[in-house]
Amino acid sequence: MSLQTRLMTAVIGFVSLILVIVAVITSALLGGTLEQQLQDRVTNYSGQVAQAVGSVPAKYADVETIFEGQGSRVPPGILMAVSSTAGGTNGVVFPDTKGEFSGESQTLTSADLARIDAALDGRRVGTVTLDDFGSYLVVVQQAPNGVNVVTGLPRTDIQNQLTTLLTVIVLATLGGLILLALTTAITIRVGLRPLRAVAATATRVANQPLDRGEVQITERVPASEADPRTETGLVGASLNTLLDHVNTSLAARQKNEERMRRFVADASHELRTPLSSIRGYSELSLRALKQQGGEAAIEGTTTSLERIQAQSLRMTRLVEDLLLLARLDEGRELVYGTVDLTQLALEGLSDARPTAVDHHWNIDVPDEPIVIMGDAGRMHQVVANLLANARTHTPAGTSITLRVSREGEDAVIRVHDDGPGIDPAVREELFARFARGDSSRARQTGGTGLGLAIAKAIVEGHGGEISVASEPGDTTFTVRIPVNPAAGE
């Protein structure tokens, strides 16, 4: 069953049970009260009848004498029976005619008298049902002259009142249950409307192709159905949060796919050029050996082999860089020891200066050495990559400054240049693999695009962070590394 059906069944079932219990208790209490009131009336009248019977001799005591003695005080529907050893047993009933005394008695048969005797069975009060007259509450009392007098009143009023009460209760219960069912159905339907909105939204999202291509999930649970202050609204709000996260993840997945495709294209491009060179020079060498001889063939083959070696070294560096990145991603390849960043900066600048004599190289290091726990070789690679990046992407005459300082518990390396700055379009992916400022991949505008990615992986492997701030004429790469990184403990 649906949740709505289960809730309605439970609510209506419990309310029905409560109403039935209330009806039973009410009927029992009211019936007991009415029975007690009737018994008090019968007992009171029985005493009066017993006094009237006691005023005459036992042999003359009969129902006619009683009736004459009571006169108009006889209540409607009264039952009287007299039993004595002298006069025998006889009884009459004065029917109740629309709540009034009829004045015409009907004699009780021997069978009726036997039923009254069986109902009393030695008790003072009893209930008897007579075929022609209905149910009666009877009380037996002994008169002073020894005559037993039975007096009874009909229970018709009690039964009618209880019947009326039960009819009213049943009708009121049925009407209340119908109203309760309608109210509950409307309340539950309105209350579960956010869940239906959640289901509809989830269905629409499920029908979207999310396994490929650029995907954007625009479906959301309406704000009116996603109120986090309610339980069902909280489900809608949670689904919207989930969809936002999924949408972000899908965008990141698409971005990663595009980056992977670009990575494959870049890696293929980087490897295709040296492979083409190797193939060309090897074919040239073979042709020279076949067509020429002597000194000319040896000289041509030597030149080709040198070019093949150069291209092989280029491919080797690329593959080693990719392997290094993979190992850094796995948390390997770092060998910790004591690293003097001051000395490392001096050596790095000395290595970079001959590669670009048309640049102005500056260094700013403290007098006292700044020592950290780290991998000296990899930290030297970070400095070299940052300086190479500044040299490659700035024109001749640019001033490049390398600074080393300590700020709190961090050692800070800054590489600053006053070049044209970094294009904002590529700044977000500057530290991505094969990230380059141009799409032509010309050798004069940069290397493989792995330098900054390697630098970032090494710095993060030391528990630090690398960032860049750039505007025309002012570009600074900042590396912060804890003096005692957790990885080195």
Side-chain angles (χ1 to χ4, degrees), residues 309-328:
Q309 184 182 28
Q311 297 300 326
S312 299
L313 293 174
R314 178 182 171 187
M315 286 193 300
T316 300
R317 285 194 298 271
L318 175 60
V319 173
E320 288 178 349
D321 286 343
L322 292 174
L323 181 60
L324 173 61
L325 283 172
R327 290 179 174 175
L328 289 173

Side-chain angles (χ1 to χ4, degrees), residues 112-159:
D112 293 334
L113 294 173
R115 287 189 178 183
I116 293 173
D117 183 63
L120 291 171
D121 191 23
R123 296 190 299 271
R124 181 173 176 272
V125 181
T127 301
V128 62
T129 300
L130 305 177
D131 294 336
D132 297 329
F133 308 108
S135 179
Y136 277 79
L137 179 68
V138 293
V139 174
V140 62
Q141 191 166 346
Q142 190 174 42
N145 57 6
V147 177
N148 292 323
V149 179
V150 176
T151 307
L153 286 175
R155 298 177 65 251
T156 306
D157 289 343
I158 296 177
Q159 295 173 342

Side-chain angles (χ1 to χ4, degrees), residues 2-143:
S2 65
L3 177 59
Q4 179 174 348
T5 303
R6 294 200 302 270
L7 289 175
M8 289 186 61
T9 302
V11 171
I12 295 175
F14 281 121
V15 172
S16 300
L17 178 62
I18 293 173
L19 292 177
V20 169
I21 293 174
V22 170
V24 171
I25 294 175
T26 302
S27 301
L29 292 176
L30 180 60
T33 301
L34 294 176
E35 290 281 356
Q36 185 61 44
Q37 291 177 353
L38 182 62
Q39 181 178 337
D40 292 340
R41 288 176 57 199
V42 174
T43 302
N44 181 53
Y45 190 71
S46 176
Q48 298 177 12
V49 171
Q51 290 180 0
V53 172
S55 61
V56 299
K59 62 180 181 178
Y60 298 113
D62 56 18
V63 292
E64 295 296 334
T65 304
I66 298 172
F67 179 67
E68 291 176 357
Q70 294 296 313
S72 60
R73 291 179 297 171
V74 177
I78 189 71
L79 178 148
M80 296 183 198
V82 175
S83 176
S84 66
T85 55
T89 302
N90 58 79
V92 296
V93 172
F94 295 92
D96 182 0
T97 305
K98 297 182 180 180
E100 299 179 356
F101 179 63
S102 66
E104 298 179 359
S105 64
Q106 296 184 20
T107 304
L108 295 175
T109 64
S110 58
D112 293 334
L113 294 173
R115 287 189 178 183
I116 293 173
D117 183 63
L120 291 171
D121 191 23
R123 296 190 299 271
R124 181 173 176 272
V125 181
T127 301
V128 62
T129 300
L130 305 177
D131 294 336
D132 297 329
F133 308 108
S135 179
Y136 277 79
L137 179 68
V138 293
V139 174
V140 62
Q141 191 166 346
Q142 190 174 42

Side-chain angles (χ1 to χ4, degrees), residues 286-331:
L286 290 174
R287 188 180 301 114
L289 290 174
K290 292 178 180 179
Q291 296 179 356
Q292 301 176 3
E295 295 293 334
I298 295 175
E299 182 178 355
T301 302
T302 302
T303 302
S304 298
L305 290 176
E306 290 175 351
R307 297 305 303 163
I308 290 173
Q309 184 182 28
Q311 297 300 326
S312 299
L313 293 174
R314 178 182 171 187
M315 286 193 300
T316 300
R317 285 194 298 271
L318 175 60
V319 173
E320 288 178 349
D321 286 343
L322 292 174
L323 181 60
L324 173 61
L325 283 172
R327 290 179 174 175
L328 289 173
D329 289 341
E330 296 174 357

Side-chain angles (χ1 to χ4, degrees), residues 339-353 362-366 370 379-380 383-384 387 402-405 412-415:
V339 181
D340 185 351
L341 292 183
T342 303
Q343 181 64 31
L344 186 146
L346 291 171
E347 294 175 355
L349 192 70
S350 297
D351 294 339
R353 182 178 283 113
N362 305 299
I363 189 167
D364 181 8
V365 295
I370 299 178
M379 288 304 303
H380 186 278
V383 174
L387 293 176
L402 175 61
R403 293 187 178 90
V404 178
S405 61
V412 182
I413 302 173
R414 289 186 174 89
V415 176

